[in-house]
Amino acid sequence: MTNLDASLREQVRILGEGLGRTMSAARGEEFLALVESIRNLSKQVHQGEATPQCLSQMLNDLDDEMLLPVARAFNQFLNLANAAEQHYRARERVVEDYRAGEQPGLTLLLDKLKNSGLAPQVIYKSLTEQRVELVFTAHPTEISRRTLIQKYDLLDDCLTDYETCPNDKARQDVLHRLEQLIAQAWHTDEIRAQRPTPVDEARWGFAVIENSLWQAVPAYYRQLDEQLITLTGQSLPLDAAPIRFASWMGGDRDGNPRVTARITQEVLWLSRWMAADLYYRDIDQLRAELSMYQASAALTERVGPVREPYRVILGQVRDRLRATLDWLKAQLDGKPYDDERILFEVAGLREPLVLCYESLCEQGMKVIADGLLLDILRRLATFGMNLLRLDVRQEAPRHAQAIAEAANYLGLGDYAEWDEQRKVDFLLHELTNPRPLLPEHWPCSDETREVLDTCKVIARERADALGAYVISMAAQPSDVLAVALLLKTAGLERTMRIAPLFETLADLERAPKVIDGLLSLPWYQQYTSGRQEVMIGYSDSAKDAGQLAASWAQYRAQEAVTRVCAARKVHLTLFHGRGGTVGRGGGPTQAAILAQPPGSVQGRLKVTEQGEMIRFKFGLPALAERALEVYTCAVLEATLAPPPAPKDEWRLLMDNIANDAVEGYRALVKDHPDFVRYFRQLTPEQELSKLPLGSRPAKRKGGGGIESLRAIPWIFAWTQVRLMLPAWLGSDVALDKAIERGETQALREMIDGWPFFASNMNMLEMVLAKVDLATVEDYESLLVEDDLKPLGKTLRVREKQLVERLLILREQTQLLERVPLTQQAISVRNPYIIPLHQLQSELLARVRACEQAQICSTQPEMLERALMVTMAGIAAGLRNTG
């Protein structure tokens, strides 16, 4: 696939023409002509046939009232282009962009592993025991409203119908339906009226499963099953689930006061209700299908000599699911309900289904057993009775505050002033003490009461409903032991996975010592039963040290933690907190997993899927099926055929590069006196807080500078103005110095022989291709004070020099010349994104003038809404936000 497919171009044209007719009907031919003239001029600017100033002047001349509809026009087109591309990727099974020879496939990989000398049984064992956990998070990077996403999904169905139309009449009917959907989208407000609640976010996650993964999972396992039978003659076991799903939606309270214990409990009940409802529908359909009368002795013994034994037992299962739904509805409504038929355990649903499956196989009806019944069993193995396991996340200082208040109440002194050893001794003493630490009711702050109430929700819940308790800002063993004690105090009588999250550069360097300290404690060894989960944070470490230095720190931390756990004979699961953008650890899944340190995967992987990346990877069943295959392949290859360890000289060179990178990054971001002013004047960072993206605030705490800003708005702001600073700053200094030291050839060898370094350079190249310095200069000329403009000029020069260095290093004449699909996708979108940038800079100037009460020719709300539309459109055009 070296060029954008003709069918994709045709579908983009069809959708674009439909949008044109919709706009003409809504606002008249004159408006459509205006939009077309802006688009054509933008195209000329992009091709170098006109100056950016011409386009800027055309947009500046627009009345305030015209800014919003023009912004909406380009926003809508980019969303329609995305819908067409999403459809194309689903059809071609291209979930991500790959370089030549990189695209993974299960058949090819199994052949490769077998030809390398691995026994088929070894491959089979690795696949069936694989544990990949994909965690959907509520990080606010999905900018599109759910109602519009649903319309785009319907567009996808129409495009499928269009491709298979048998005649012109059918084709015209499809085109008419497409135009209806486009009109519906145009007449729908693309900006949410208010921020989604944590429960809204959780419902969105459930919808992804209902609309896509519920179909994709059994379809993918059917494909995997066929491959295993070809390889070994053995099927995938009925209870095998190489890939499972978890969620932070409703459980992640780190810096989000809207996620309370009550919210977490509600989301847990809703998740179970959604699962029970989906199974109820499946069982109802299955009961209609299984009208057979031949049954095994075991099934006949269960239901008696009835005419339709499968329908009888499935009717009983359906009744139990109905009772479960009624019970969960009563829980949500706060009403009492009791019924002995309620299903609490997976086994209660699985056992009668397996009985039916075995009976059908025994009676010579395996072809029937392997239909919907097998699909339901696969879903049950993957989603359980809870749909998604819920992780709980809270920051370490909140736990320390709770323990400190308890110690103070008990007259034990100031816990916060104790050294680490004293804290550990105290916590271990209380963990092994059979008496409760605290009475049921004791005076404490609202913050501590909330922490304890959350622990009580965990204690009341069934173990299979919950995943891990993640501790952000973890820095010492006492941070983990504090959570264990709070859970014990709340009445939890079982163990729960507790995963410390290491985020900043200093945290990552300290991680192996913290984990070793924990695993040296006999009580903790017994508590973990030989299994430890460690989360690696990508976003905050990159914000702290720059992308390249953070990436190397993450790599080294994983290596060291892997060695510690191996020495302690503990099974390690590394939990990767990756975002969608390069500045937050994003990138193609296969490359990212194969870039991990050799030996760190071992068949187990946990990773976050965030915001818009959930929709891009899992929003359509065909895309989701392909994404699951990519994960399986990458983890299998990283486990059975990991890349060789990097050479010692490469590691030494990487140490030097990382040191140079972090110095170059921090010299600007943390030390330059004008940087914060420049950042806030150039970008829409301050205005971003008005965009109702997610339930979580943009800052952990009010006030403060860059340090208090979350990684998502930090990256979002730079993305909007097309400088992409967080993803490349520091790399320019590091590569410049390495090349000056005469290390060019060594760097090329690292790209060719070390997946970690190759992945970093690939992502750097991709993000540099999205930079548009002319656009940056336009923002600067309108928004930035004159005394700050030399800083902007310096940054643009640094970016240009980095591109030159990277092209020399890669021996290329232009960026992305080996990834043509990505290159062309960026190029095709630019004529539609550039007007949005121009509009956004103009709107920022007008909004800020209004706020300063200088001039305000119209309602500020109209300008702000138009500004939000440009943010949404640019995010759609670049296919990522934060």
Side-chain angles (χ1 to χ4, degrees):
M1 188 169 49
T2 56
N3 288 288
L4 288 177
D5 190 272
S7 65
L8 173 56
R9 292 183 181 277
E10 168 70 5
Q11 289 175 355
V12 170
R13 182 190 63 78
I14 290 170
L15 295 177
E17 289 177 355
L19 177 62
R21 287 189 291 273
T22 296
M23 292 190 299
S24 177
R27 299 194 64 91
E29 284 291 330
E30 190 175 335
F31 175 75
L32 178 59
L34 171 65
V35 171
E36 275 299 295
S37 63
I38 294 171
R39 185 182 71 85
N40 288 328
L41 183 55
S42 177
K43 198 171 182 180
Q44 290 170 14
V45 169
H46 181 60
Q47 294 169 346
E49 298 169 1
T51 65
Q53 289 74 23
C54 296
L55 178 61
S56 180
Q57 187 59 53
M58 176 182 280
L59 295 172
N60 291 352
D61 289 343
L62 294 176
D63 295 335
D64 286 353
E65 290 75 14
M66 287 301 296
L67 292 174
L68 178 59
V70 169
R72 293 192 71 235
F74 287 95
N75 176 29
Q76 287 282 358
F77 177 83
L78 288 165
N79 277 301
L80 292 175
N82 280 348
E85 183 178 332
Q86 195 91 328
H87 174 80
Y88 173 75
R89 287 174 178 273
R91 190 188 70 200
E92 299 294 324
R93 303 183 74 247
V94 182
V95 71
E96 294 172 333
D97 295 338
Y98 306 99
R99 291 171 181 267
E102 276 187 356
Q103 186 163 343
L106 192 56
T107 304
L108 291 173
L109 177 60
L110 292 179
D111 287 342
K112 173 184 169 183
L113 293 174
K114 189 169 65 171
N115 293 336
S116 72
L118 280 170
Q121 200 58 37
V122 171
I123 302 171
Y124 177 87
K125 186 174 187 292
S126 183
L127 265 175
T128 56
E129 294 179 358
Q130 189 177 105
R131 286 298 299 268
V132 175
E133 192 169 14
L134 305 181
V135 184
F136 291 172
T137 79
H139 286 58
T141 61
E142 174 53 86
I143 202 163
S144 299
R145 287 185 64 197
R146 183 176 162 188
T147 186
L148 285 171
I149 291 171
Q150 290 168 341
K151 296 184 193 307
Y152 301 144
D153 287 347
L154 292 172
L155 280 174
D156 179 80
D157 294 337
C158 283
L159 291 175
T160 299
D161 293 341
Y162 183 79
E163 291 166 347
T164 57
C165 282
N167 52 54
D168 289 342
K169 172 65 169 62
R171 192 172 291 109
Q172 287 303 314
D173 289 344
V174 173
L175 289 173
H176 182 65
R177 176 57 178 156
L178 275 171
E179 201 150 321
Q180 286 180 341
L181 291 168
I182 292 168
Q184 289 175 20
W186 172 260
H187 291 286
T188 298
D189 192 343
E190 54 271 271
I191 304 299
R192 299 181 182 98
Q194 57 192 19
R195 288 186 181 276
T197 68
V199 173
D200 292 334
E201 291 170 332
R203 289 182 189 276
W204 181 81
F206 303 157
V208 173
I209 293 178
E210 178 184 9
N211 299 329
S212 178
L213 285 166
W214 202 251
Q215 290 76 43
V217 164
Y220 170 59
Y221 284 152
R222 200 174 300 119
Q223 173 197 347
L224 183 58
D225 193 41
E226 291 169 1
Q227 297 280 357
L228 288 174
I229 291 171
T230 301
L231 180 70
T232 67
Q234 294 176 272
S235 295
L236 185 70
L238 291 180
D239 59 351
I243 297 180
R244 303 186 187 204
F245 298 89
S247 174
W248 278 13
M249 300 179 186
D252 180 13
R253 59 240 311 121
D254 174 19
N256 189 351
R258 298 179 181 93
V259 180
T260 62
R262 184 187 63 78
I263 290 292
T264 295
Q265 181 63 80
E266 182 178 353
V267 167
L268 284 163
W269 283 331
L270 282 170
S271 187
R272 291 195 68 164
W273 189 94
M274 190 74 234
D277 185 57
L278 289 169
Y279 289 128
Y280 183 90
R281 288 182 246 167
D282 277 357
I283 296 299
D284 200 42
Q285 182 183 344
L286 182 65
R287 186 174 177 273
E289 290 186 8
L290 298 192
S291 55
M292 304 83 218
Y293 61 88
Q294 303 101 321
S296 65
L299 179 55
T300 302
E301 184 180 350
R302 172 73 70 87
V303 300
V306 295
R307 186 175 173 213
E308 295 178 331
Y310 300 97
R311 285 183 167 174
V312 170
I313 195 169
L314 291 173
Q316 295 168 0
V317 171
R318 186 180 60 178
D319 291 345
R320 295 195 69 184
L321 285 166
R322 181 72 265 164
T324 304
L325 287 166
D326 292 342
W327 171 72
L328 286 164
K329 178 70 164 55
Q331 295 293 310
L332 289 163
D333 293 341
K335 297 176 181 177
Y337 187 91
D338 189 30
D339 191 321
E340 62 182 12
R341 297 173 300 170
I342 296 169
L343 281 165
F344 293 106
E345 304 279 358
V346 169
L349 181 53
R350 186 175 184 277
E351 186 272 336
L353 295 178
V354 171
L355 185 62
C356 290
Y357 186 87
E358 292 174 345
S359 174
L360 288 167
C361 292
E362 183 182 314
Q363 297 298 311
M365 295 181 280
K366 191 173 188 301
V367 66
I368 297 174
D370 286 342
L372 177 58
L373 176 53
L374 180 58
D375 287 352
I376 298 172
L377 286 167
R378 297 291 189 213
R379 288 167 182 149
L380 196 55
T382 301
F383 300 110
M385 291 299 297
N386 302 285
L387 207 66
L388 295 156
R389 284 178 177 261
L390 187 68
D391 279 358
V392 172
R393 182 170 76 138
Q394 182 58 280
E395 58 190 57
R398 290 290 296 273
H399 308 130
Q401 177 188 342
I403 297 292
E405 289 184 26
N408 183 60
Y409 170 76
L410 296 170
L412 299 176
D414 188 352
Y415 176 84
E417 294 298 317
W418 297 353
D419 63 24
E420 176 63 13
Q421 188 57 54
R422 186 177 176 189
K423 289 178 180 177
V424 168
D425 291 343
F426 166 72
L427 294 167
L428 287 174
H429 177 267
E430 292 301 328
L431 283 163
T432 55
N433 194 330
R435 67 157 175 74
L437 173 66
L438 296 161
E440 178 67 23
H441 301 288
W442 62 285
C444 64
S445 66
D446 291 344
E447 290 85 359
T448 291
R449 179 61 59 199
E450 179 58 41
V451 168
L452 292 171
D453 286 348
T454 298
C455 291
K456 287 177 181 176
V457 169
I458 292 170
R460 289 194 301 265
E461 263 301 332
R462 308 187 71 81
D464 60 359
L466 297 160
Y469 195 118
V470 179
I471 310 167
S472 53
M473 302 185 194
Q476 301 292 348
S478 60
D479 291 330
V480 175
L481 298 178
V483 170
L485 180 56
L486 290 169
L487 291 171
K488 173 181 177 282
T489 301
L492 185 66
E493 296 178 352
R494 62 179 187 274
T495 61
M496 182 179 187
R497 278 182 288 153
I498 302 175
L501 164 55
F502 300 103
E503 301 176 89
T504 65
L505 212 58
D507 290 340
L508 289 165
E509 290 168 355
R510 194 164 43 231
K513 183 179 178 182
V514 173
I515 298 302
D516 194 44
L518 277 169
L519 297 178
S520 69
L521 303 172
W523 179 89
Y524 190 74
Q525 288 176 4
Q526 184 179 9
Y527 181 86
T528 59
S529 302
R531 296 191 179 279
Q532 178 64 50
E533 186 172 306
V534 175
M535 185 168 182
I536 303 295
Y538 287 70
S539 303
D540 285 332
S541 56
K543 181 168 157 282
D544 173 46
Q547 171 61 26
L548 193 56
S551 186
W552 180 231
Q554 292 150 12
Y555 188 95
R556 292 172 60 200
Q558 290 174 64
E559 280 186 318
V561 169
T562 299
R563 285 194 299 268
V564 165
C565 289
R568 297 281 182 183
K569 295 182 171 53
V570 168
H571 294 280
L572 170 67
T573 297
L574 285 167
F575 181 4
H576 300 269
R578 300 173 66 225
T581 55
V582 173
R584 300 184 54 241
T589 299
Q590 185 208 25
I593 294 173
L594 293 178
Q596 303 308 309
S600 66
V601 177
Q602 293 299 321
R604 305 180 76 85
L605 181 81
K606 187 174 178 180
V607 63
T608 54
E609 290 288 359
Q610 302 182 0
E612 78 279 356
M613 300 313 297
I614 296 174
R615 178 159 56 98
F616 292 154
K617 288 185 181 179
F618 304 103
L620 300 174
L623 278 177
E625 192 178 337
R626 177 64 180 140
L628 299 178
E629 181 185 7
V630 170
Y631 267 111
T632 299
C633 289
V635 172
L636 183 66
E637 186 171 0
T639 301
L640 296 181
K647 298 175 182 178
D648 289 343
E649 55 265 35
W650 292 353
R651 297 181 65 89
L652 184 61
L653 178 51
M654 196 64 223
D655 283 338
N656 294 334
I657 288 173
N659 289 335
D660 291 337
V662 74
E663 285 180 14
Y665 178 87
R666 287 178 173 170
L668 180 76
V669 173
K670 299 196 172 183
D671 299 337
H672 196 294
D674 293 330
F675 176 75
V676 174
R677 279 179 61 220
Y678 179 79
F679 167 59
R680 289 187 167 151
Q681 289 185 26
L682 179 75
T683 75
E685 181 259 331
Q686 303 278 1
E687 292 79 8
L688 173 61
S689 62
K690 298 171 185 174
L691 188 62
L693 269 175
S695 68
R696 195 170 73 169
K699 293 186 177 183
R700 280 191 166 93
K701 297 177 182 177
I706 301 301
E707 295 78 11
S708 67
L709 192 67
R710 286 190 176 274
I712 291 169
W714 162 248
I715 293 172
F716 188 112
W718 289 110
T719 301
Q720 288 282 302
V721 299
R722 295 293 286 279
L723 188 53
M724 313 293 189
L725 189 79
W728 62 261
L729 188 66
S731 296
D732 60 316
V733 174
L735 291 184
D736 198 45
K737 289 187 176 181
I739 290 172
E740 282 181 4
R741 290 193 298 263
E743 294 165 343
T744 302
Q745 190 54 39
L747 293 174
R748 288 173 180 161
E749 290 173 5
M750 288 164 67
I751 291 174
D752 291 338
W754 190 10
F756 162 78
F757 191 69
S759 176
N760 271 278
M761 293 300 101
N762 291 346
M763 290 300 97
L764 180 61
E765 184 181 359
M766 184 276 287
V767 83
L768 288 172
K770 288 188 175 182
V771 171
D772 188 324
L773 294 182
T775 293
V776 177
E777 204 164 356
D778 287 339
Y779 278 86
E780 196 176 276
S781 64
L782 260 180
L783 303 170
V784 175
E785 294 172 12
D786 287 344
D787 67 311
L788 297 176
K789 288 179 179 176
L791 174 56
K793 184 176 181 181
T794 299
L795 290 176
R796 293 195 297 278
V797 169
R798 286 176 65 170
E799 193 276 344
K800 280 183 184 176
Q801 290 174 343
L802 175 57
V803 171
E804 291 169 5
R805 294 295 196 194
L806 190 61
L807 291 176
I808 290 170
L809 189 60
R810 305 208 72 135
E811 300 179 283
Q812 297 174 189
T813 58
Q814 60 179 340
L815 294 172
L816 296 180
E817 66 181 41
R818 296 173 192 166
V819 198
L821 180 62
T822 306
Q823 183 188 55
Q824 292 171 45
I826 294 171
S827 179
V828 164
R829 282 175 168 80
N830 264 335
Y832 300 91
I833 304 174
I834 289 172
L836 287 172
H837 287 301
Q838 297 268 11
L839 283 167
Q840 186 179 93
S841 59
E842 178 65 28
L843 282 160
L844 283 168
R846 296 188 194 186
V847 166
R848 291 172 184 178
C850 276
E851 289 173 348
Q852 294 166 11
Q854 293 174 353
I855 44 170
C856 201
S857 59
T858 188
Q859 294 180 345
E861 294 81 7
M862 184 185 296
L863 292 177
E864 287 184 358
R865 181 157 174 257
L867 179 59
M868 291 180 193
V869 171
T870 65
M871 291 181 187
I874 292 166
L878 296 174
R879 284 179 64 90
N880 54 43
T881 53

